[in-house]
């Protein structure tokens, strides 16, 4: 067995998995609170990447250095993605809170189609090259054949974001309100939690994470188009289900498992079926452990 | 005044929101930036007025709910009155029949072709309607069965030279088989999970067709598929379109007939019960496993058949025709027309397919409008254009005073 090859696959799986985990967190948070698959989540990720590209291009013309471009573009992407997430919730999901389960789901699919075409018409349907904003660090040079700087940045950013999110959910006031809303909306309302605000906050945080994922992937892959959100969203959702939807550590674990599966699958079996591995894994998990790896199985009340 | 301020805020918000995507266009190769300020004004004005409309519709909807709760009598919907009034319904039906039968005589083969297209979507919609509308199982990978049908004809013809008519039942059976194949693993899943797994299934079928070169010839697809024959007689190019049109008409009528009969059968009732409440349905002694599987199988059968017609009509299949967008279109035409209602699905399919064909100018905006329409429909009229008429039985006391 070639250990170097194994390590390479492992690290590339970890990178991919980190991105999936970042997007999956948004799904899982929203699902935990209002039991809705936010189909438009992948689209917000795409919009984040596009906003980042636009801002980065303008700043490049102004002649700033790479690191400040990266930071400013990420800020813009996060702000805009969060704004889109907030607006999407107000338009497509809030009026449907009392409706049967199928209605918000279809509305979400509609939103996703709308946003895809909106970006396609307003911008372009071609692939756009994305500047590599993440600089190559000097201290990374000896290891460059195993892991590049962008990969390192992606993995580290994801770890930082996870820690930040855990602290937010566990120890802050809004985190407490979120957990309360997820457990029982009516009861949370009775003890004075502003449900509307909590749901909005959840969308804002979730979509901001998606924007981070969008920028990082775009830097890593080097090109974007209006359709990237669909597959990314689907895979991230797979990751969320894999780890047990509604559970935050589950989303991270699911993302990493999915990334590694894909990476080893393409490395050792066949590179043509990268996406097929993800879906096969999803179906297998749902058959044998529908609650996911870390999820608790809930008994249905009648 | 408050309303105006509200709308003004909304329009400012949307101007902010759409600013980078709508106004700025960068060209990363030539390193130029194009500013399209005029669009910002359109967005501002548009959202200003739309927000008025939005709030008006929301208040109207809420007052409607209040009225219903207060027990006030709700007017019978127009569509229902239309179908119940025989003096109106039968002449209309006759008119539609005459129009469909004579359509190719008056219009060019191009127009006929478009009508055939619309009929294909009617059939796909009716098939998916069984799964989504009646049984309430959200299937986002329906296009997979369509692909199965099309490839079934293409491959069987390529390898064994089997003709259209022999493949039609085989493809229907294959569709049903794949429906059951999908149905088994997802029996335990509900709602959202089901939607995602079916979506994954649909994408998987497409990816396999794209990558398994030895089996399906990969992305380049299979060409030179023969058009259908009429008892061994091969029509000329122009006439074959008309022939396929009539073929589609008869297949559609068959579908409508079967779906209509199914709807009111024991199994159809079981589907509707399943949609309304799975547990109550189980408690009434319905075998959920069997009911779900039949829904998947019977829904997929039609897609398999339409797939064969599609392959025969275009004489070419490749995986690019079977993307998720196709599933989304079929789903949205059902939603638009009215879930569970046959007339609604037919109307939805015609609106969806014919409008963009005749309004070529909006072709580019087609999916944009559909996406928005899906959201707006769900928010304001979740039952669709023509809602399914629920049979109600009244209890009448036999003793009269």
């Amino acid at each position: 067995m070639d250990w170097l090859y194994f390590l390479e696959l492992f690290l590339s799986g970890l990178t991919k998995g980190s991105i999936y985990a970042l997007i999956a967190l948004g799904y899982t948070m929203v699902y935990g609170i209002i039991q809705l698959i936010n189909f438009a989540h992948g689209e917000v990720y795409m919009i984040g990447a596009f906003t980042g590209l636009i801002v980065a291009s303008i700043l490049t013309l102004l002649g700033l250095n790479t690191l400040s471009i990266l930071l400013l573009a990420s800020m813009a992407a996060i702000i805009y993605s969060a704004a889109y997430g907030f607006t999407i919730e107000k338009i497509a999901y809030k009026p449907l809170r009392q409706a049967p389960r199928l209605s918000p789901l279809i509305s979400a699919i509609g939103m996703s189609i709308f946003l895809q075409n909106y970006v396609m018409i307003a911008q372009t349907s071609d692939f756009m090259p994305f500047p590599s904003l993440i600089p190559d660090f000097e201290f990374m040079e000896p290891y460059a054949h195993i892991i590049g700087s962008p990969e390192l940045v992606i993995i580290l950013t994801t770890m930082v974001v996870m820690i930040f999110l855990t602290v937010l959910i566990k120890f802050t006031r809004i985190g407490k309100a979120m957990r309360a809303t997820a457990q029982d909306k009516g009861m949370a309302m009775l003890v004075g939690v502003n449900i509307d605000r909590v749901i909005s906050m959840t969308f804002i945080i979730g979509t901001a994470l998606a924007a981070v994922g969008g920028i990082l992937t775009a830097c890593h892959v080097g090109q974007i188009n209006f359709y990237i959100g669909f597959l990314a969203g689907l895979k991230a959702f797979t990751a969320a289900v894999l780890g047990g939807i509604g559970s935050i550590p589950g989303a991270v674990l699911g993302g990493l498992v999915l990334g590694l599966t894909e990476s080893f699958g393409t490395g050792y079996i066949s590179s043509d079926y990268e996406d097929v591995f993800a879906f096969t894994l999803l179906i297998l998990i749902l058959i044998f452990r529908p609650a996911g790896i870390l999820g608790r199985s809930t008994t249905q009340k009648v | 005044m408050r309303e105006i301020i509200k709308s003004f805020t909304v329009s400012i918000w949307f101007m902010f929101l759409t600013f980078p995507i709508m106004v700025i266009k960068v060209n990363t190769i030539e390193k130029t930036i194009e500013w399209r300020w005029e669009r910002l004004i359109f967005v501002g004005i548009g959202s200003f007025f739309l927000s008025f409309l939005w709030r008006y519709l929301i208040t109207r909807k809420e007052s409607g709910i209040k009225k219903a709760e207060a027990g006030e009598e709700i007017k019978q919907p127009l569509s229902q009155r239309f179908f119940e009034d025989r003096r109106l319904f039968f002449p209309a039906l006759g008119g539609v029949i005459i129009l469909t039968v004579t359509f190719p005589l008056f219009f060019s083969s191009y127009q006929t072709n478009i009508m055939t297209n619309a009929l294909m979507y009617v059939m796909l919609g009716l098939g998916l309607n069984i799964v989504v509308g009646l049984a309430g199982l959200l299937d986002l990978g329906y296009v997979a069965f369509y692909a199965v049908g099309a490839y079934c004809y293409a491959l069987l013809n390529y390898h064994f030279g089997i003709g259209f008519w022999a493949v039609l039942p085989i493809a229907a059976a294959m569709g049903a088989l794949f429906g059951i194949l999908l149905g088994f693993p997802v029996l335990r899943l509900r709602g959202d999970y089901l939607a995602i797994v079916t979506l994954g299934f649909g994408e998987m079928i497409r990816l396999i067709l794209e990558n398994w070169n030895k089996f399906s010839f990969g992305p380049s697809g299979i060409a030179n598929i023969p058009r259908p024959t009429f008892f061994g007689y091969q029509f000329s190019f122009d006439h074959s379109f008309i022939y396929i049109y009539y073929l589609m008409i008869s297949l559609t009528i068959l579908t409508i007939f079967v779906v209509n009969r199914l709807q009111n059968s024991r199994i159809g009732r079981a589907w509707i019960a399943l949609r309304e409440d799975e547990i109550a349905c189980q408690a009434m002694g319905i075998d959920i496993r069997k009911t779900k599987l039949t829904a998947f199988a019977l829904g997929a059968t039609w897609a398999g058949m339409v797939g064969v017609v599609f392959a025969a009509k275009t004489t070419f299949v490749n995986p690019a025709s079977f993307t998720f967008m196709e599933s989304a279109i079929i789903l949205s035409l059902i939603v638009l027309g009215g879930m569970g209602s046959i007339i609604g699905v037919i109307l939805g399919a015609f609106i969806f397919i014919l409008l963009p064909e005749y309004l070529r100018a909006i072709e580019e905006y087609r999916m944009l409008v559909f996406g928005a329409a899906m959201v707006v429909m769900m928010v304001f009229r979740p039952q669709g254009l023509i809602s399914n008429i629920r049979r109600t039985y009244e209890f009448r006391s036999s003793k009269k005073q």
Side-chain angles (χ1 to χ4, degrees):
Chain A
M1 201 146 168
D2 189 351
W3 283 105
L4 205 62
Y5 186 54
F6 178 82
L7 195 66
E8 226 172 82
L9 288 180
F10 180 77
L11 286 172
S12 98
L14 214 58
T15 315
K16 234 189 256 178
S18 303
I19 300 279
Y20 292 151
L22 273 178
I23 313 171
L25 280 170
Y27 273 113
T28 239
M29 285 172 71
V30 167
Y31 194 91
I33 286 192
I34 52 172
Q35 280 82 46
L36 161 85
I37 298 179
N38 182 9
F39 251 97
H41 195 65
E43 266 47 71
V44 174
Y45 154 92
M46 178 264 300
I47 285 175
F50 258 96
T51 315
L53 173 68
I54 289 165
V55 173
S57 308
I58 293 173
L59 293 178
T60 316
L61 286 184
L62 292 178
L64 273 77
N65 69 337
T66 328
L67 204 64
S68 53
I69 292 178
L70 177 65
L71 287 178
L72 285 173
S74 306
M75 287 291 273
I78 289 170
I79 289 168
Y80 267 97
S81 284
Y84 269 94
F86 173 78
T87 316
I88 290 168
E89 197 268 330
K90 284 277 175 283
I91 291 177
Y93 306 143
K94 197 177 169 213
L96 291 171
R97 229 171 261 169
Q98 311 299 331
R101 291 278 290 272
L102 213 54
S103 309
L105 196 60
I106 291 170
S107 161
I109 296 169
M111 203 42 158
S112 157
I113 295 173
F114 177 82
L115 288 176
Q116 259 178 33
N117 285 278
Y118 154 69
V119 173
M120 185 187 82
I121 293 166
Q123 291 286 320
T124 169
S125 58
D126 304 324
F127 270 101
M128 304 266 277
F130 198 94
S132 49
L133 295 174
I134 302 173
D136 284 322
F137 303 117
E138 262 173 49
F139 64 88
M140 284 299 295
E141 221 143 272
Y143 313 107
H145 57 290
I146 306 171
I147 180 171
S149 302
E151 281 92 343
L152 187 76
V153 170
I154 289 173
I155 295 171
L156 286 181
T157 313
T158 311
M159 275 164 64
V160 170
V161 167
M162 300 305 158
I163 293 166
F164 167 74
L165 197 65
T166 315
V167 170
L168 183 89
I169 301 262
K170 279 244 162 81
F171 300 112
T172 63
R173 213 180 145 77
I174 184 79
K176 228 182 239 174
M178 275 178 185
R179 280 182 290 150
T181 315
Q183 274 181 11
D184 189 330
K185 255 190 234 117
M187 197 59 215
M189 211 138 53
L190 281 181
V191 295
V193 175
N194 186 345
I195 301 263
D196 282 339
R197 188 182 295 160
V198 169
I199 292 174
S200 288
M201 264 321 274
T202 312
F203 268 87
I204 288 172
I205 295 172
T207 44
L209 295 180
V212 175
I215 287 275
L216 290 175
T217 328
C219 288
H220 183 44
V221 178
Q223 57 175 5
I224 56 172
N225 79 345
F226 71 95
Y227 203 61
I228 53 167
F230 174 67
L231 202 61
L234 199 56
K235 293 243 188 93
F237 182 75
T238 308
V241 172
L242 209 58
I245 199 156
S247 138
I248 287 178
V252 179
L253 186 67
L256 294 180
V257 168
L258 187 72
L260 290 173
T261 310
E262 276 189 8
S263 179
F264 286 126
T266 46
Y268 287 122
I269 303 170
S270 159
S271 59
D272 288 340
Y273 293 101
E274 188 187 345
D275 304 331
V276 178
F277 294 126
F279 298 134
T280 316
L281 190 66
L282 173 71
I283 292 176
L284 287 179
I285 281 283
L286 285 177
I287 295 169
F288 294 111
R289 199 172 156 74
I293 301 170
L294 292 184
R296 267 166 297 157
S297 59
T298 48
T299 35
Q300 209 188 352
K301 279 175 263 175
V302 183
Chain B
M1 194 59 208
R2 263 186 62 218
E3 293 285 293
I4 292 174
I5 293 171
K6 246 186 196 167
S7 285
F8 192 67
T9 338
V10 170
S11 84
I12 294 283
W13 174 251
F14 272 94
M15 272 153 80
F16 162 72
L17 204 60
T18 52
F19 175 69
I21 305 276
M22 288 289 270
V23 176
I24 310 167
K25 186 175 172 140
V26 289
N27 190 329
T28 36
I29 297 156
E30 287 166 25
K31 301 231 178 289
T32 52
I33 297 174
E34 198 186 321
W35 298 85
R36 300 168 294 186
W37 290 107
E38 75 284 355
R39 293 192 178 194
L40 198 63
I41 299 164
F42 294 144
V43 169
I45 295 170
S47 51
F48 184 75
F49 287 108
L50 283 179
S51 81
F52 274 116
L53 190 66
W54 180 267
R55 261 176 292 149
Y56 168 71
L57 287 172
I58 289 270
T59 27
R60 224 187 70 164
K61 186 187 161 199
E62 272 164 5
S63 70
I65 292 171
K66 264 185 210 135
K67 255 188 207 164
E69 275 171 357
E72 277 178 49
E73 202 170 312
I74 305 160
K75 237 185 3 183
Q76 220 178 5
L78 191 71
S79 55
Q80 193 173 339
R81 270 180 291 166
F82 177 76
F83 292 117
E84 275 173 6
D85 192 345
R86 280 162 182 262
R87 272 174 310 174
L88 274 172
F89 180 60
F90 280 107
L93 187 70
V96 169
I97 289 173
I98 291 169
L99 186 71
T100 43
V101 169
T102 55
F103 190 82
L105 302 178
F106 298 122
F107 294 95
S108 68
S109 61
Y110 171 72
Q111 306 283 351
T112 317
N113 211 2
I114 291 171
M115 280 308 270
T116 315
N117 237 346
L119 286 169
M120 279 165 59
Y121 278 94
V122 169
M123 234 174 114
L124 286 171
L126 287 171
L128 186 59
N129 189 32
I130 293 179
V131 187
V132 180
L134 294 182
L137 306 162
L138 187 56
D139 183 353
L140 295 179
Y142 192 65
V143 78
F145 309 123
Y146 187 34
V148 164
Y151 267 86
C152 202
Y153 180 40
L155 288 171
L156 283 176
N157 189 278
Y158 182 83
H159 292 296
F160 308 109
I162 301 175
F164 176 85
W165 289 103
V167 173
L168 202 60
I170 296 175
M174 281 298 278
L177 188 72
F178 269 80
I180 293 172
L181 212 65
L182 167 68
F184 257 117
V186 301
L187 274 176
R188 288 201 289 171
L189 308 176
R190 342 178 28 157
D192 322 336
Y193 284 91
L194 182 77
I196 286 290
V197 172
T198 49
L199 210 173
F201 176 79
E203 283 293 294
M204 244 163 93
I205 296 269
R206 188 177 65 82
L207 287 167
I208 288 171
L209 288 174
E210 215 157 76
N211 289 312
W212 195 359
N213 286 328
K214 278 189 197 128
F215 172 72
S216 64
F217 302 97
S220 51
I222 301 167
N224 291 328
I225 301 166
R227 293 200 168 77
T229 55
F230 184 67
F231 293 109
Y233 177 71
Q234 183 75 53
F235 287 97
S236 68
F237 183 74
D238 266 353
H239 285 123
S240 71
F241 280 125
I242 297 169
Y243 176 51
I244 292 175
Y245 172 77
Y246 282 118
L247 196 96
M248 250 347 274
I249 294 256
S250 26
L251 279 177
T252 310
I253 290 171
L254 176 76
T255 319
I256 294 171
F257 178 73
V258 172
V259 172
N260 194 24
R261 300 297 296 167
L262 271 176
Q263 211 169 25
N264 297 322
S265 70
R266 191 187 164 79
I267 183 92
R269 289 311 182 77
W271 286 335
I272 294 169
L274 187 72
R275 179 185 70 190
E276 297 300 328
D277 192 327
E278 205 164 301
I279 293 164
C281 173
Q282 219 161 7
M284 297 306 288
I286 293 167
D287 185 351
I288 295 233
R289 183 181 274 269
K290 216 170 77 187
T291 315
K292 277 191 183 177
L293 285 181
T294 41
F296 274 117
L298 285 173
T301 310
W302 305 111
M305 277 158 86
V306 185
V308 176
V309 178
F310 172 77
K313 188 175 98 93
T314 52
T315 72
F316 172 70
V317 290
N318 75 343
S321 318
F322 308 107
T323 55
F324 168 68
M325 258 318 144
E326 210 67 17
S327 290
I329 290 177
I330 303 168
L331 180 70
S332 36
L333 68 87
I334 298 183
V335 173
L336 185 78
M339 256 189 271
S341 134
I342 293 177
I343 305 274
V345 172
I346 297 171
L347 192 73
F350 276 99
I351 292 174
F352 247 63
I353 307 305
L354 296 186
L355 264 190
E357 289 291 348
Y358 290 115
L359 298 172
R360 277 277 161 198
I362 65 151
E363 166 97 60
E364 200 187 343
Y365 301 98
R366 182 168 94 153
M367 289 316 288
L368 189 80
V369 172
F370 287 169
M374 269 164 92
V375 176
V376 172
M377 277 312 258
M378 277 300 118
V379 174
F380 295 115
R381 204 178 154 82
Q383 72 270 38
L385 285 178
I386 294 178
S387 53
N388 192 16
I389 302 155
R390 267 184 103 148
R391 242 172 233 220
T392 47
Y393 299 97
E394 259 173 65
F395 177 73
R396 286 200 194 86
S397 172
S398 55
K399 271 183 277 176
K400 273 190 180 159
Q401 289 172 340

